[in-house]
């Protein structure tokens, strides 16, 4: 016990911790040649390490007896201490093992109601089977999304691939949706294809997640010399569908989401005649949590869930990249 106490008083900054593996091997093998082979050193190098250890510890450690080299009392006292130190040090550098079935955690995911409805049910069904103690909380978007991800208030966020990401953010593709024009059955434009010029003829219900007034679609319409009138704006896609179901207004939103509610809301879903109608969806996280084992597993689960739910999740094949499938495939 005296030796253990003495070691605790030593300033580790002045000690070469590379001596720990040779010390462990010498204590277990009690033979310089075998100890050298155990740690991959030459016999002369091990002899030099033993000399340095003797000087550092102020004890010969190994002395020749009738049956060969024997441990001194100091060396015998070090056997359990060094064994534990080596095991704990190895644990510092070992890759963490992750078992989803044993994990217990709340994952905070920034998502719109569209992603929550399209992916939430299948995602939670998978979690109940594979990680029953992992819970999910859907949270709203805000201008400080990057900071919230960095400090851990948000773990992951859905975004479009065209959205500028915060500094240090990482992303992975999940699926590709498309824009669609949605109107009620019996709408004045229901019997024919929707044309670009129609955007100027009817009032619109729009979705604004962060309260911004314009969108990429408005920029595309402006290039064509078309201005639409927005009569209703909400942060919720469901609200936009509910409004157009009771009026002659139209909305241009996710095709996959609109089709999910077309029958119960009595809606028609038409292709959007826009130059860029694709909506590539990505999952975003902070570089600070790049190697979080649970979140890495959860990200892969979301991508797999998108496919199993028929929403075009992406499965990566090493050495190959395939075009992301569409949400409406």
């Amino acid at each position: 016990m005296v030796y253990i106490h003495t070691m605790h008083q030593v300033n580790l900054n002045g000690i070469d911790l590379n001596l720990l593996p040779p010390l462990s091997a010498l204590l277990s093998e009690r033979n310089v040649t075998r100890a050298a082979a155990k740690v991959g050193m030459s016999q002369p190098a091990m002899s030099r390490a033993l000399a340095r250890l003797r000087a550092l510890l102020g004890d010969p450690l190994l002395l020749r007896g009738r049956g060969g080299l024997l441990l001194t009392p100091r060396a015998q006292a070090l056997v359990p201490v060094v064994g534990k130190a080596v095991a704990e040090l190895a644990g510092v550098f070992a890759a963490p093992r992750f078992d989803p079935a044993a994990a217990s955690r709340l994952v905070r995911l920034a998502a719109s109601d569209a992603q929550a409805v399209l992916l939430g049910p299948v995602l939670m069904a998978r979690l109940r089977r594979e990680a029953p103690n992992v819970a999910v909380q859907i949270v709203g978007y805000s201008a400080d999304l990057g900071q919230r991800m960095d400090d851990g208030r948000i773990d992951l966020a859905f975004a479009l691939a065209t959205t500028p990401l915060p500094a240090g953010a990482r992303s992975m593709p999940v699926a590709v949706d498309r824009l669609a024009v949605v109107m009620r059955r019996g709408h004045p434009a229901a019997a024919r294809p929707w044309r670009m010029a129609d955007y100027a003829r009817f009032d619109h219900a729009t979705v604004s997640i962060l309260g911004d007034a314009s969108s990429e679609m408005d920029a595309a319409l402006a290039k064509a010399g078309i201005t639409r009138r927005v009569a209703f704006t909400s942060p919720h896609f469901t609200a936009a569908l509910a409004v157009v179901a009771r009026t002659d207004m139209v909305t241009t939103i996710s095709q996959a989401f609109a089709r999910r509610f077309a029958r119960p809301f009595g809606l028609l879903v038409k292709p959007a005649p826009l130059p860029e109608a694709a909506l590539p969806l990505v999952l975003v996280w902070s570089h600070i949590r790049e190697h979080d084992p649970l979140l890495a597993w959860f990200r892969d689960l979301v991508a797999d869930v998108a496919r199993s739910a028929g929403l075009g999740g992406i499965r990566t094949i090493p050495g190959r990249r395939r075009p992301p499938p569409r949400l409406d495939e």
Side-chain angles (χ1 to χ4, degrees):
M1 298 299 294
V2 173
Y3 297 131
I4 298 174
H5 176 75
T6 302
M7 289 182 66
H8 283 177
Q9 309 307 311
V10 173
N11 181 4
L12 291 178
N13 291 330
I15 296 177
D16 183 0
L17 294 181
N18 289 320
L19 292 172
L20 187 58
L23 175 59
S24 177
L26 287 166
L27 294 177
S28 63
E29 298 297 329
R30 304 182 187 188
N31 180 283
V32 173
T33 302
R34 291 197 302 270
K38 185 173 183 178
V39 296
M41 297 174 65
S42 67
Q43 184 174 344
M46 181 59 75
S47 295
R48 290 193 295 271
L50 176 57
R52 293 178 62 192
L53 286 165
R54 284 169 168 169
L56 178 65
L57 296 172
D59 188 270
L61 299 178
L62 292 168
L63 293 174
R64 190 166 299 280
R66 293 182 181 181
L69 292 177
L70 300 176
L71 298 180
T72 66
R74 172 74 187 276
Q76 290 175 351
L78 287 174
V79 170
V81 178
V82 172
K84 181 180 179 181
V86 170
E88 292 182 349
L89 188 60
V92 171
F93 297 99
R97 298 182 62 183
F98 175 70
D99 178 9
S104 179
R105 186 154 156 196
L106 173 66
V107 176
R108 291 166 293 266
L109 176 61
S112 70
D113 58 327
Q115 289 118 25
V117 168
L118 291 172
L119 297 177
V122 184
L123 175 63
M124 294 312 300
R126 285 282 299 273
L127 283 175
R128 294 307 86 197
R129 297 195 302 268
E130 300 175 27
N133 292 317
V134 174
V136 175
Q137 180 183 6
I138 301 297
V139 300
Y141 293 90
S142 61
D144 62 344
L145 179 65
Q147 180 60 45
R148 293 166 70 195
M149 288 196 294
D150 278 351
D151 63 26
R153 285 177 289 165
I154 293 179
D155 296 303
L156 300 161
F158 283 113
L160 294 178
T162 54
T163 303
L165 298 182
R170 304 288 187 265
S171 68
M172 66 177 288
V174 175
V176 174
D177 197 351
R178 291 192 66 82
L179 285 171
V181 178
V182 187
M183 64 191 69
R184 67 175 180 85
R185 295 185 182 277
H187 189 278
R192 57 176 176 77
W194 183 264
R195 299 183 293 263
M196 285 279 283
D198 291 327
Y199 277 104
R201 298 180 57 207
F202 299 97
D203 288 349
H204 294 261
T206 63
V207 178
S208 177
I209 302 296
L210 293 176
D212 43 343
S214 61
S215 67
E216 293 181 7
M217 189 180 79
D218 288 302
L221 292 175
K223 287 184 179 180
I226 298 171
T227 302
R228 63 173 179 166
R229 179 179 181 273
V230 175
F232 176 83
T233 301
S234 168
H236 306 296
F237 288 88
T238 311
L241 293 181
V243 166
V244 301
R246 297 294 300 270
T247 68
D248 283 342
M249 297 170 63
V250 298
T251 188
T252 304
I253 61 170
S254 154
Q255 178 175 268
F257 186 73
R259 285 181 171 177
R260 180 67 62 89
F261 289 94
R263 179 174 296 178
F265 280 19
L267 300 171
L268 291 176
V269 181
K270 297 174 177 287
L274 297 167
E276 296 295 335
L279 295 174
L281 187 68
V282 298
L283 199 58
V284 181
W285 63 95
S286 169
H287 69 287
I288 295 174
R289 286 162 184 79
E290 171 78 11
H291 302 292
D292 184 312
L294 185 143
L295 294 182
W297 174 82
F298 190 89
R299 294 193 298 265
D300 290 338
L301 177 66
V302 170
D304 193 52
V305 159
R307 179 172 297 282
S308 65
L311 303 179
I314 295 172
R315 186 165 296 158
T316 301
I317 302 175
R320 294 178 57 193
R321 293 190 66 84
R322 56 175 292 182
R326 300 189 186 283
L327 277 170
D328 56 332
E329 286 183 341

